[in-house]
Amino acid sequence: MAGTRTEALHGNAEGLDIQAPEAILGSLADAQVEAAKTVRNAIPSIARAAEIIAGCLSSGGKLAYAAAGSSGLMALADALELPGTFGIQRDRIAILIAGGDEAFRTLAGGPEDDAEEASTAVANAGIGAGDCLIALSASGTTPYAVRAIEDARRRGAATIGIANNRGSALLRQADTAILLETPPEVIAGSTRMGAGTAQKIALNMLSTLTAIHLGHVHDGYMVNLNADNMKLRDRATRIVAAVTGRGHEEAASLLEKSGGAVKTAILLAAGADSADAAQKILERTGHKLRPALSAIEGNKGSKA
């Protein structure tokens, strides 16, 4: 096998196919845990990347993800959940996956080598100055991901690279490099396993910290969620009740008055004169709930 870490043979892999099922599963579980631990070493670079993404989104820019294969699936999962969890508008998120829509059915390997497809995807998504592109590749050499980051950078976008091999082309090309130096896979080269797990964790951390910077999280609550089903409407009500100390029925009433906006409902409970007034306070405080609540309290104090 090739000399890269993601293609190397794991130390516990010898005789794997003749081991007892419980022993095999134990090795697989331990390898996942070890892969997850490597994300801690990337915390400084993840923090820098989250600040960059938040700056782009708060200034009206787009966030794009570019990847192939298993890395593409990790990117897809993160990108698709941002609107529902944190209320980020869908038209501000672009998902560039090698093979396009067909990848969702076959995930064929060939398209990951198509650098020209990546160039076309970046151009069609309109990625440029003021935007940010995250490119993922376990090997760090996937032509689709590398070309996407090259083109996005050339067009003036901020670029973030996530890869599992040190010194790889993707990390060298990125403005901000996130190295997830996972151990060799128990099944050599099967980066949907440990490498994919580490990528998923890093993306979760990256998008969550970005949302915190944007003011979409308050005391561990997702206060900018898009409540578009029964579960999320109930969650929104429980969040309003928890933050304000009001009962469930009153919280539901406040949400109705706010048009379903959690932050606005909380500000109404805190004393905002109307939903419009609450929205203006949020605009003045960068849509961050804590300073908006402080502004209302300060206004009460000045009136007193």
Side-chain angles (χ1 to χ4, degrees), residues 5 9 16 28 37 46 52 54 64 68 91 93 105 112 129 145 171 185 191 207 229 240 248 265:
R5 193 176 179 91
L9 187 65
L16 182 71
L28 293 174
K37 288 179 180 178
I46 293 172
I52 292 167
D91 61 2
I93 302 167
R105 291 181 288 273
E112 74 174 48
L171 298 182
E185 305 289 355
T191 52
S207 55
N229 63 28
V240 173
H248 190 275

Side-chain angles (χ1 to χ4, degrees), residues 51-225:
E51 191 171 357
I52 292 167
I53 297 169
C56 290
L57 290 173
S58 63
S59 299
K62 295 189 294 290
L63 172 62
Y65 296 73
S70 296
S71 294
L73 298 181
M74 299 302 106
L76 180 69
D78 196 67
L80 289 180
E81 290 185 332
L82 293 182
T85 305
F86 298 124
I88 298 172
Q89 299 97 316
R90 294 188 184 279
D91 61 2
R92 304 279 296 285
I93 302 167
I95 305 169
L96 317 181
I97 187 167
D101 290 346
E102 183 62 28
F104 304 139
R105 291 181 288 273
T106 63
L107 204 65
E112 74 174 48
D113 295 333
D114 194 340
E116 291 307 315
E117 182 192 338
S119 290
T120 300
V122 170
N124 288 345
I127 304 303
D131 300 326
C132 181
L133 180 135
I134 306 169
L136 298 90
S137 164
S139 67
T141 59
T142 303
Y144 184 95
V146 173
R147 176 64 67 83
I149 214 165
E150 289 174 345
D151 277 25
R153 190 177 186 185
R154 179 177 54 78
R155 294 166 67 92
T159 57
I160 297 164
I162 301 177
N164 300 77
N165 282 322
R166 182 179 294 275
S168 56
L170 186 68
L171 298 182
R172 292 197 305 269
Q173 291 291 336
D175 296 322
T176 302
I178 299 174
L179 171 64
L180 306 173
E181 203 164 19
T182 47
E185 305 289 355
V186 175
I187 308 299
S190 183
T191 52
R192 72 186 184 90
M193 301 170 73
T197 294
Q199 288 180 358
K200 174 61 175 168
I201 294 170
L203 286 171
N204 284 346
M205 293 165 59
L206 179 57
S207 55
T208 299
L209 183 56
T210 296
I212 291 171
H213 285 320
L214 292 171
H216 298 336
V217 176
H218 180 87
D219 283 344
Y221 293 113
M222 51 180 83
V223 291
N224 208 50
L225 63 83

